[in-house]
Amino acid sequence: MAGALVERAEAGRGDLRDLPAARPEQPRPPLVRGVGRGDLPAGLPVAPLADSWIGFVVYRIVFGEGERVPDEAEIAASVDAALRLRLTPSAAGRSRRVAVPVTHRTHRTAPSVPTGSTGPTGQRPRRPPAPSTHRTASSLPSGPAVPPWPPDSLWTGRRARPILVDAASRGPTGTSEVAPMTVVDLAALGESFTRDPYPVYARLRARGPVHRIRMPEGNTEAWLVVGHEAGRAVLTDPTLTKDWSKAAPALGLGAVSAGPHMLRADPPDHTRLRKLVAREFTPRRVEQLAPRIQRTTDGLVDTMLAAPGGRVDLVEALSFPLPITVICDLLGVPDLDRRSFRTWSNDALGATDPADRTAAATAMVEYLTKLVDDKRRHLGDDLLSALIHGADEDGDSLSPEELLGMAWLLLVAGHETTVNLISNGVLALLTHPEQLAALRADPGLMENAVEEMLRYDSPVETPTYRFTTAPLTIGDTTVPGGGELVLVALADAGRDPARFTAPDDFDIRRDARGHLAFGHGIHYCLGAPLARLEARIALGTLLERCGELALDIDPAAVTWRPGMLIRGPFSLPVRVAP
């Protein structure tokens, strides 16, 4: 499937001029925009090549007259081939491919270059120095030593910031400063990555715990951390800040929330803000909400069963209205314009166009300002009223700006996670009928099933932003200080075979504890007990009352929300019957 390019990559011979011209009647090779380091899969396109005549030639050879997005099989094929592919300047200044061994964590190597194989200059391809067994202080696994670096103009129109690699990992040269890391453009993968990011994360994880990426949201560049061990360590690293004022200006980030809140604060501010609302979300207080949640769920399922032909969109009928109703009742804002608020929330958190995110954020701020002002005039026995005029035992209370930020956080985070937990969970059950049958046969498995749903397809793909305040070593790579954006792939942590056996299998009987779906450390999701309770009640009621529960769409046709923050379908058509 991968074609001549993959075959040549695996054999490690020939140069760019040897590649056959694309012919309309032949299938095109997989998307390969360039690989500068061994940890950059060819199926994960880096920034466009057409910044130089060499790049233009490569671009046209690979794509012909147009551009396309690879499917999952092509991603896998081109990634596997790219792990053996390097581009480096030859003695004559031309670009050539050099085959080098692929070193994994166990330091086993891929098949070596065939005897007698040479590059275009007639010289044998160079082998990189043997990887060192040295570990940095973080004790995180790392990828192989960095191979020779290609010309900047071949990959991007500008240089990424230099990265530092532990000197011991560089072999006998002893140098620690290396050329800039190529940016992996995840946005260029389009719908295939949005629909199923797990194969991409897995191949990145196989090459190392941290990678420089370009996000689908606004083409922002960030450092992506993959793997369970690395992710868990980074989530608690004190050198990372949640304070957006410390973000590098070059990132061009604009906050979408209505004001400061817990997820944008470090201690002691974070500690103070969390303390003001934490008592409302303890497991004991949340359990008292169960009767109210059950009544709301029963009413929604009644409506589902009364739908013509029993055909409904699960997101519209249950996944969204249940958690938004619960959090609105808890805050004391039952008249919230829920449809508008959902649209704003979707755009503010996931829109790929920065203008759309800004517009949604502005609309939410205006709406919440009026909502809070109205609440001041009509106080009640609810959480928002308590936050407006209440104080803790130390006399602490929220400033007007903090109140808006807290209202925004509770409304958005109070429903978004549960919406996608329910939707992703039902989709997992309906695409694994043996697991659905097991859960119907033994409802006592529900609590464990919810944990497996969180691990298998996390409703939060990456958490809210963190920024470096000092150089941060992850494996053998040092991420610079100065406000660099760092993301942790929470979704990938649940699929790490180093932590979970057969991680790509959905198994409601497995011990899924230890997943990072709700984060880790001081920013662990405050509403996790509520999300778990809502999911258990929603799923349990569905299975109890709907003898027929089936997808009303091909799973491959499900449309997913864009961006790397929230993971869940826009809609999920199902058929239900008593």
Side-chain angles (χ1 to χ4, degrees):
M1 177 183 299
L5 182 61
V6 170
E7 294 174 0
R8 291 177 182 274
E10 292 176 339
R13 59 180 179 271
D15 72 310
L16 298 178
R17 296 172 300 173
D18 295 331
L19 291 174
R23 297 178 181 176
E25 68 274 11
Q26 296 178 342
R28 290 177 180 173
L31 179 60
V32 181
R33 288 186 179 173
V35 284
R37 289 188 61 192
D39 53 2
L40 297 176
L44 309 183
V46 289
L49 287 170
D51 296 309
S52 68
W53 71 269
I54 298 176
F56 178 77
V57 171
V58 175
Y59 182 90
R60 291 298 295 271
I61 289 173
V62 175
F63 291 110
E65 295 295 330
E67 183 174 339
R68 64 189 177 83
V69 175
D71 60 28
E72 296 171 14
E74 288 178 310
I75 290 174
S78 35
V79 165
D80 291 339
L83 296 181
R84 303 174 177 85
L85 184 65
R86 306 290 189 275
L87 285 173
T88 183
S90 69
R94 298 189 304 270
S95 292
R96 63 186 178 92
R97 282 173 297 161
V98 178
V100 295
V102 181
T103 306
H104 301 282
R105 293 177 186 172
T106 56
H107 295 171
R108 292 177 295 178
T109 59
S112 58
V113 182
T115 303
S117 176
T118 61
T121 61
Q123 299 174 347
R124 290 183 182 276
R126 269 196 308 166
R127 293 182 181 275
S132 169
T133 57
H134 173 81
R135 283 176 177 262
T136 59
S138 61
S139 297
L140 297 177
S142 62
V146 182
W149 193 256
D152 295 340
S153 61
L154 187 59
W155 310 128
T156 62
R158 63 182 183 81
R159 295 172 66 93
R161 295 188 179 187
I163 61 170
L164 299 179
V165 177
D166 185 81
S169 70
R170 296 285 296 161
T173 63
T175 180
S176 61
E177 187 169 344
V178 298
M181 177 180 284
T182 303
V183 178
V184 182
D185 192 353
L186 297 180
L189 288 176
E191 177 62 24
S192 64
F193 176 72
T194 303
R195 182 177 64 251
D196 185 11
Y198 297 105
V200 175
Y201 288 149
R203 284 169 172 80
L204 288 175
R205 183 187 345 110
R207 302 303 299 160
V210 62
H211 302 269
R212 185 77 165 161
I213 65 163
R214 181 165 295 142
M215 302 164 58
E217 301 96 317
N219 288 324
T220 301
E221 291 184 8
W223 297 86
L224 179 70
V225 179
V226 290
H228 186 278
E229 182 184 359
R232 195 171 188 271
V234 168
L235 289 173
T236 58
D237 193 290
T239 65
L240 293 173
T241 178
K242 303 281 282 185
D243 185 351
W244 279 49
S245 68
K246 297 178 182 177
L251 292 173
L253 297 176
V256 298
S257 60
H261 54 73
M262 293 178 287
L263 295 184
R264 289 178 51 191
D266 301 319
D269 290 337
H270 170 267
T271 307
R272 180 181 69 85
L273 293 172
R274 188 173 178 112
K275 184 179 179 182
L276 289 170
V277 294
R279 58 180 177 268
E280 298 295 332
F281 293 94
T282 63
R284 183 175 180 179
R285 292 290 291 271
V286 165
E287 198 62 38
Q288 296 173 0
L289 299 175
R292 186 189 308 180
I293 296 172
Q294 185 65 65
R295 287 194 299 271
T296 301
T297 303
D298 287 339
L300 294 171
V301 174
D302 286 342
T303 303
M304 291 174 64
L305 291 171
R311 308 180 79 167
V312 297
D313 174 4
L314 185 78
V315 177
E316 291 284 349
L318 180 63
S319 301
F320 172 73
L322 173 60
I324 196 67
T325 298
V326 172
I327 195 63
C328 284
D329 288 348
L330 188 63
L331 288 172
V333 288
D335 298 327
L336 181 79
D337 184 350
R338 299 177 187 183
R339 186 164 296 278
S340 295
F341 199 84
R342 182 188 177 197
T343 300
W344 296 330
S345 180
N346 285 347
D347 289 346
L349 297 182
T352 56
D353 187 341
D356 291 341
R357 293 203 307 276
T358 300
T362 301
M364 290 177 74
V365 170
E366 294 174 353
Y367 183 83
L368 287 175
T369 300
K370 296 177 181 178
L371 185 73
V372 171
D373 288 344
D374 182 68
K375 193 64 180 176
R376 290 183 188 277
R377 296 189 293 269
H378 303 89
L379 296 177
D381 184 20
D382 53 67
L383 178 56
L384 189 54
S385 295
L387 292 174
I388 290 174
H389 282 301
D392 65 7
E393 57 269 22
D394 298 323
D396 191 16
S397 59
L398 298 172
S399 69
E401 295 78 14
E402 290 173 338
L403 180 61
L404 274 178
M406 188 69 77
W408 181 92
L409 176 64
L410 293 173
L411 281 169
V412 173
H415 83 276
E416 280 286 5
T417 301
T418 309
V419 169
N420 299 292
L421 171 55
I422 295 173
S423 299
N424 295 355
V426 170
L427 180 60
L429 287 173
L430 296 183
T431 53
H432 297 82
E434 74 288 351
Q435 299 299 310
L436 175 61
L439 190 55
R440 284 189 183 277
D442 184 3
L445 292 171
M446 181 58 72
E447 183 173 350
N448 204 70
V450 169
E451 297 306 308
E452 173 66 351
M453 294 168 188
L454 287 164
R455 179 205 69 82
Y456 179 75
D457 206 0
S458 173
V460 180
E461 191 167 340
T462 62
T464 50
Y465 296 171
R466 287 167 167 79
F467 307 97
T468 58
T469 60
L472 173 64
T473 299
I474 305 173
D476 283 343
T477 298
T478 297
V479 178
E484 292 284 309
L485 174 56
V486 177
L487 299 175
V488 177
L490 301 179
D492 178 67
R495 296 292 189 97
D496 188 348
R499 178 61 181 82
F500 299 100
T501 303
D504 293 328
D505 294 344
F506 179 64
D507 180 4
I508 63 172
R509 292 185 175 87
R510 83 157 73 232
D511 183 359
R513 292 175 298 179
H515 62 73
L516 301 180
F518 289 123
H520 179 62
I522 64 172
H523 290 286
Y524 183 83
C525 179
L526 185 68
L530 180 58
R532 286 181 164 112
L533 177 62
E534 290 172 332
R536 290 197 300 267
I537 291 176
L539 295 167
T541 304
L542 269 180
L543 298 187
E544 179 183 352
R545 298 190 54 192
C546 301
E548 178 186 344
L549 176 62
L551 282 176
D552 200 21
I553 187 175
D554 186 328
V558 173
T559 57
W560 293 81
R561 296 176 59 175
M564 294 181 65
L565 176 60
I566 298 296
R567 173 158 175 78
F570 271 124
S571 64
L572 190 64
V574 297
R575 298 188 308 275
V576 295

